[in-house]
Amino acid sequence: MAFEFIDQALEDKARDALQRRRTCIDKVSARHIQVDGQQYLNFASNDYLALGDQAISGDFVAGSKSSALVTGYQRTHRLLEAKLCELLGYERAMLFASGFGANFSVLSTLFHDNKAGQDSAMFQDKLNHASLIDGGLNSSAKLVRFNHNDMGHLRARLEKTRVQNKLIVSEGIFSMDGDGAPLHELKSLADTHSAWLMIDDAHSFGVCGENGLGSVESGVRPDILVITFGKAMGCQGAAVLSSKRVIDYMVQFNREYTYSTAMSPALAKIASTQLSRLCDSGSAREVLHRHITHFKALCRDAGIPVQASNSAIQPIVLGDAQSTLNAQQSLAQKGIWLTAIRPPTVPHNTARLRVTLTAAHQQADIEYLVECLKEVI
């Protein structure tokens, strides 16, 4: 029978405890989530500053009506791009509907030309997000992986290559481990080897840095910076920031940007509002970082093996996929909602409970979470 591979693949996923299911959510906030009428403490949200819980008012135009290169690029989009450029110190910006789309299409486009790709290489951290890896695989450049945050391994890879065009790609804060990239060392290696540096700042922007501006506040300015609006900004979309030269190149050759209806003006206006709120959220960032410190201290005292993360992402690696699912289900019975992350999202034998903390949580919520984790693990 045709397409029997579908049934076999689904059976394999179920057998290995790797089957994914969608959960229909009744209501959700940065602190609580309601599923099938049952309320839980929500430790699975990326809305780190709880900005997504704040109401938005105003007159919005729902649709952009066409591609950005036809009539879809409107004043609302240009104002948001200018605001981002001024805030982060870049010449130009380009808006996308999602962070995945931004990462994938930018990397695909930068090395889309076969002739240029033969003299190009992309050096990616092995724990980079799927959108970055897939973008690299879809390009004409050679994709070279280096061990996670291992600057010695990256240096050896760079020294071995003989190509003209080199791009180092990393996340600012890694989405599944919660640790940060060594930005200064990455930039130093890039400068030494005449390479460019690209950083996906999805989980850093809004949270890291004195003003919440992410990686650029470390004193490192990547050649290409990607920020997403669906995490700390609490809305939807993404932006790529770079030089005028690079953004002009993207406008000419980025197929997703050319052949997709432009981001809704409503989403762009909401993003602009949320960006202003993010800049004014210093107190929320302070609360969030106190929660992170408190959670890590409680886990240490309870003997719970958290990773070396100082971000809002606090993974607890259990290894086995089925054991991780069992732990997730036990926590749900205690009123705790979080995510069991399994391969292929993470490497085999590193299935984990991914705890995410937000400024909306209360100290008592975190203490209850740790007590439940202690009982379940």
Side-chain angles (χ1 to χ4, degrees), residues 60-134:
F60 301 123
V61 177
S64 60
K65 301 176 177 63
S66 67
S67 161
L69 298 186
V70 183
T71 62
Y73 183 59
Q74 300 174 21
R75 182 173 296 275
T76 305
H77 301 104
R78 188 170 70 178
L79 290 174
L80 175 56
E81 289 175 351
K83 191 172 181 178
L84 287 164
C85 287
E86 181 179 3
L87 185 65
L88 295 167
Y90 283 85
E91 289 182 340
R92 293 288 188 275
M94 192 175 191
L95 301 178
F96 289 85
S98 72
F100 194 108
N103 282 335
F104 179 87
S105 67
V106 165
L107 290 176
S108 300
T109 301
L110 190 61
F111 299 112
H112 80 281
D113 182 82
N114 287 331
K115 184 177 180 181
Q118 291 174 4
D119 201 21
S120 304
M122 196 182 307
F123 300 83
Q124 292 216 35
D125 190 294
K126 284 189 175 180
L127 295 190
N128 273 356
H129 191 267
S131 57
L132 296 169
I133 300 301
D134 288 359

Side-chain angles (χ1 to χ4, degrees), residues 124-162:
Q124 292 216 35
D125 190 294
K126 284 189 175 180
L127 295 190
N128 273 356
H129 191 267
S131 57
L132 296 169
I133 300 301
D134 288 359
L137 291 170
N138 195 54
S139 80
S140 295
K142 182 179 180 181
L143 177 59
V144 181
R145 310 282 293 276
F146 62 91
N147 294 334
H148 179 52
N149 281 345
D150 187 337
M151 296 301 97
H153 193 215
L154 173 58
R155 183 182 297 107
R157 296 286 202 181
L158 287 164
E159 289 173 350
K160 187 176 180 180
T161 189
R162 294 294 178 265

Side-chain angles (χ1 to χ4, degrees), residues 3 19 67 207 281 317:
F3 297 98
Q19 192 171 33
S67 161
V207 177
S281 294
V317 177

Side-chain angles (χ1 to χ4, degrees), residues 38 89 101 106 164 183 221 236-237 241 244 274 285 310 356:
Q38 176 69 42
V106 165
Q164 178 70 29
L183 295 171
R221 191 170 307 282
Q236 187 174 357
L241 295 103
K244 178 181 182 300
Q274 294 295 82
R285 277 187 285 277
N310 292 315
T356 52

